[in-house]
Amino acid sequence: YPNCPIHLQLPQLRTPSGVGSFVDNDTGKVTHSLMLTLDEHKVPGTPAFKFVSLIRDIEERLIDVAFEAKKPWFANARNPSERLSRDVIAGKLTSKVKFDKDGKYNDPSVTVKVYANDEGLYTFEAYNRQGVEISPHMIEKGSRVGTIVQVGGYCNSSSFGLVFTIR
């Protein structure tokens, strides 16, 4: 379907902190997100393993597309003499799946954008296991959640990547 957003159903994943908010001190703008951890990502056949594999495949294809479109995508790069090889382009990708570089956490994570209206109410519906609608504020630390996200992307002169949003 041309010009239609892509939606992806994520496997049931654990949220270590529920829906979080961040206030930009300079602008006062509030953004919201939901961090999800990919436990069992190393166990072949599990939903988390399959999800990580899918995202890696999508990101590899995204690198190919970025390499093919490197001049318009990265025309305003800080270093215009930089040779934009496929490896350089791959280095500009911000992966959607984050692995802890410090080794503090065992499982990688995925962060999903969450929108709220002017009153601070989230603009998505949430349901418990019994199918009863609940407030998204009730998503507790350690809960397992299933989400459907809209897939988008971003690109600037220094980086590009996927964006997942709960609508």
Side-chain angles (χ1 to χ4, degrees), residues 65-75 84-86 89:
V65 169
F67 182 67
E68 292 166 13
K70 62 186 171 187
K71 287 187 180 178
W73 280 27
F74 303 107
L84 294 175
S85 66
R86 189 180 186 288
I89 299 289

Side-chain angles (χ1 to χ4, degrees), residues 124-136:
F124 69 95
E125 298 171 357
Y127 298 87
N128 65 16
R129 291 187 183 265
Q130 291 74 36
V132 176
E133 188 169 4
I134 62 170
S135 165

Side-chain angles (χ1 to χ4, degrees), residues 92-139:
K92 292 178 179 289
L93 173 74
T94 301
S95 180
K96 192 69 206 152
V97 177
K98 304 284 189 226
F99 287 85
D100 179 27
K101 294 175 185 156
D102 299 329
K104 184 177 174 184
Y105 304 103
N106 293 327
D107 298 317
S109 65
V110 172
T111 301
V112 178
K113 282 186 170 187
V114 176
Y115 284 97
N117 62 21
D118 292 337
E119 290 83 42
L121 300 173
Y122 297 118
T123 58
F124 69 95
E125 298 171 357
Y127 298 87
N128 65 16
R129 291 187 183 265
Q130 291 74 36
V132 176
E133 188 169 4
I134 62 170
S135 165
H137 296 281
M138 293 176 66
I139 299 173

Side-chain angles (χ1 to χ4, degrees), residues 66 73-74 77-78 88-95 153-162:
W73 280 27
F74 303 107
R78 289 187 190 121
V88 169
I89 299 289
K92 292 178 179 289
L93 173 74
T94 301
S95 180
Y154 75 94
C155 179
N156 58 45
S157 63
S158 60
S159 66
F160 67 103
L162 296 172

